[in-house]
Amino acid sequence: MMDFSDIFKNSISVQSLIESMAEGVIFINKRSEILLVNKTTNELFGYETNELIGQSIEKLIPNRHKEQHKTHLLTYFSAPKARPMGHANSKLSGIKKDGTLFSLEISLSFINTDKELIGIAFITDISARVKAENELKIRNIELDAFGHTIAHELHSQLNSIIGFSQLILTDKEMSEEKRNSFLEIIVSSGFKMSSIITEMLLFSNLKKDEIVKTHLSMKDIVEEAVNRISESEKGTAKIFIAKEFEPSIGYGPWIEEVWYNYIRNAIKYGGTPPNIEIGSSIAEDGYKKFWVKDNGIGLDERQCDIIFVDPHKLGDGLVKGHGLGLSIVQRIIKKLDGWVKVESTPNKGSIFSFYLPHSQDNLL
């Protein structure tokens, strides 16, 4: 076994050891004065060399935590021991020189010198981990809502099939006309279930497919989406499509699915008759906005906040048609590095939109 004693005696000083650490290291006394920091600490908090020496440790603590931190510091120096700071359910944060807050973990230790007791804090920036955890929580909420939406949609169609099938079986005197009418409803419900399953498969494949983004012929994609909607479903709806669309990149088949869902919802919830406008405009940072405007009943602020995440909380009158499709839409646009939005006022219609980058350069 290698003997490191000579190396530590002759080559490695305490200062060089502290400077080599990937964690931030801060030495303080019981008066909260910073005695020593390493290079990593200065980099974490955005300070120059020696700028923190002699300052109060409170300088690195967000205002809302300062009073609590003073109490913790007094408690620690009264009975010092090596331990992590905070607990499993707490989130610690620090404040940089420029005022930026960031998440961190702190482990505490101490040195009892001849002159005084010195506390040592070892600091790790965990901003990336906290961001990933928060994104995972949001994703799980979305998946829970999506699962609920699927169950609700399938259950509704299945109830229709079972109910009308039982009527046909039990009512032996049912007229041929009524029987055929019920059979049409059963077939329609079966097709809707098939459509839901298709959308489920599309949703599940969004994570797996490696798609190639290209410049989109948006007008052609919109017209194809409109043509997929049956004439009976369009009814008396008036659909106005812009002559030209802003250029953007994406994946055509997915974008067609987005337009298809938006336009069908606009038809179902438009006015009498539905007047639907489809167009685009320039947004910010090189992104382009694509939108479907209707003249329907509109949504209030709370409904706008949840319609893409948990549409079944909208209320019975707005669930039909706003269910699974919008969950698919949101997932597609996120996958294509954009975002979705709804602008609406009760009784004044809605504008459902999505944003896509103009080019790959906007993603860098």
Side-chain angles (χ1 to χ4, degrees), residues 4 80 94 222 254:
F4 284 91
V222 171
W254 286 359

Side-chain angles (χ1 to χ4, degrees), residues 194-253:
S194 177
S195 177
I196 290 168
I197 292 169
T198 299
E199 289 190 316
M200 285 170 58
L201 291 173
L202 173 62
F203 185 89
S204 65
N205 288 332
L206 289 179
K207 291 183 178 178
K208 302 173 185 175
D209 291 349
E210 288 298 326
I211 54 94
V212 177
K213 297 174 188 174
T214 59
H215 288 279
L216 299 170
S217 299
M218 194 63 82
K219 185 174 175 63
D220 292 338
I221 294 173
V222 171
E223 290 176 347
E224 187 63 33
V226 172
N227 290 335
R228 283 173 56 187
I229 303 170
S230 68
E231 291 302 320
S232 61
E233 187 173 355
K234 290 176 187 173
T236 58
K238 298 178 181 178
I239 302 175
F240 304 93
I241 302 174
K243 292 182 179 180
E244 295 182 357
F245 285 82
E246 294 292 334
S248 65
I249 61 168
Y251 184 59

Side-chain angles (χ1 to χ4, degrees), residues 169-184:
L169 287 172
T170 57
D171 189 350
K172 302 302 182 182
E173 298 181 359
M174 183 180 295
S175 67
E176 189 70 18
E177 182 180 359
K178 182 175 284 189
R179 185 183 301 271
N180 289 336
S181 174
F182 287 173
L183 285 172
E184 287 179 3

Side-chain angles (χ1 to χ4, degrees), residues 302-303 306 311-320:
R302 183 191 71 86
Q303 291 170 329
I306 65 176
H312 287 287
K313 291 183 178 178
L314 291 172
D316 293 338
L318 288 170
V319 172
K320 190 183 296 182

